Amino acid sequence: MTSSRGGLVVVTVAAAVLLGYLLLHLAGLVGGMSVQECLPGVPAHPGGPPEPPLQPRQSPLGPSSPVEWRWFLLGACTLAFVGGHSWGHVRADRQSRELAADDEEAPATPSLVLQLALTGLLLASVVALAYETFAVAGPQTPERWPITFYARCANDAAPWWTLAGAVTLSILVGQWLAYQPRPRPRPRPVA
Amino acid sequence: MDAAGVVHLAVVVLGLIVLGGAVVCAGADVMLEGRGTSVAQRLNRWSRRYPLFAAGLIFVFGAVLGHFWGK
């Protein structure tokens, strides 16, 4: 097994563990995540201003920590993205060396699976954007928050799990966006 | 279902969708690595073949991310 494949397996297993935790949570087999602290109080009057999720009372890093949680989260994700990006460059260099020059210079027709995956991604984006537009424009009750508010609530209700998920995603995205094939030198014509 | 139940379900389902997609793509990447290629390389080839479509996709995702980070 190459080091790249070993690293990929580790990151995939990490993401799968987080996914398993969420599935167990959905089944009610594990606890430890309360969304109560996200829920806003009763509006002063019906039809009042939108109610965003409340912020947690205390930072997960503790009350005496000199670092704010949001900067810690941003820094960890940035480091993970840069690390994944560097890793992706190493993979791209190795693959460029292994591939034939013709293969690099004339891109082949993309596979059907890739085209279907991208189409599905776009469709999912359209659905998410449509819901987001609807939710932002309408009354923002907790039952119909924009997706953004649910993501913020996840950060408030389960900060360490959210950090682990964000770091894992940052590594993967940084690695996938790093691919830059290096042009290989053409063989010199024989004089 | 009360508000807390809806929010709880939405948070968990959101995480499942995002992480599920990541696990599927990462699993595909592990398989492709065994064949000497990668998801990144295929994306790179696709974007070189369809540069305008890739630029549009980047614009949409950039706008979405910008919205998520906005207040």
Side-chain angles (χ1 to χ4, degrees):
Chain A
M1 183 184 284
T2 64
S3 59
S4 286
R5 197 173 193 189
L8 271 174
V9 169
V10 169
V11 177
T12 307
V13 168
V17 167
L18 294 168
L19 195 69
Y21 168 76
L22 283 174
L23 284 171
L24 289 175
H25 201 83
L26 190 64
L29 298 176
V30 294
M33 184 170 78
S34 170
V35 298
Q36 284 294 340
E37 56 186 316
C38 304
L39 295 175
V42 179
H45 54 87
E51 296 287 342
L54 297 177
Q55 296 299 304
R57 296 180 192 88
Q58 185 177 314
S59 163
L61 294 175
S64 59
S65 171
V67 183
E68 277 192 52
W69 174 255
R70 57 180 175 165
W71 294 115
F72 180 74
L73 186 71
L74 182 64
C77 288
T78 304
L79 280 178
F81 185 88
V82 171
H85 210 70
S86 305
W87 178 24
H89 276 295
V90 172
R91 281 186 78 192
D93 282 346
R94 185 177 50 76
Q95 287 178 352
S96 293
R97 284 196 301 272
E98 290 173 359
L99 288 171
D102 295 346
D103 202 23
E104 277 297 324
E105 288 167 4
T109 302
S111 70
L112 181 64
V113 175
L114 178 64
Q115 303 220 46
L116 285 175
L118 286 168
T119 307
L121 191 66
L122 273 176
L123 280 175
S125 302
V126 168
V127 172
L129 271 175
Y131 172 77
E132 188 78 1
T133 307
F134 173 73
V136 167
Q140 293 169 358
T141 60
E143 292 87 352
R144 209 168 290 168
W145 269 342
I147 298 171
T148 322
F149 286 8
Y150 292 119
R152 289 177 189 171
C153 182
N155 177 47
D156 295 339
W160 292 108
W161 286 99
T162 306
L163 174 70
V167 164
T168 307
L169 282 176
S170 299
I171 292 173
L172 286 171
V173 172
Q175 198 251 123
W176 287 329
L177 292 182
Y179 190 86
Q180 292 293 330
R182 300 273 173 87
R184 302 195 332 155
R186 293 179 182 278
R188 292 179 181 173
V190 179
Chain B
M1 192 181 289
D2 61 349
V6 172
V7 171
H8 182 262
L9 183 66
V11 166
V12 173
V13 169
L14 186 64
L16 285 174
I17 290 172
V18 173
L19 281 171
V23 167
V24 169
C25 290
D29 211 9
V30 171
M31 287 176 53
L32 289 172
E33 175 69 23
R35 299 179 195 169
T37 179
S38 64
V39 168
Q41 186 200 46
R42 295 195 172 217
L43 271 177
N44 183 271
R45 282 184 177 181
W46 177 84
S47 62
R48 280 195 294 159
R49 191 174 178 88
Y50 306 107
L52 286 178
F53 198 15
L57 202 60
I58 289 168
F59 175 80
V60 170
F61 279 106
V64 171
L65 281 178
H67 162 76
F68 284 163
W69 282 102
K71 195 77 175 172

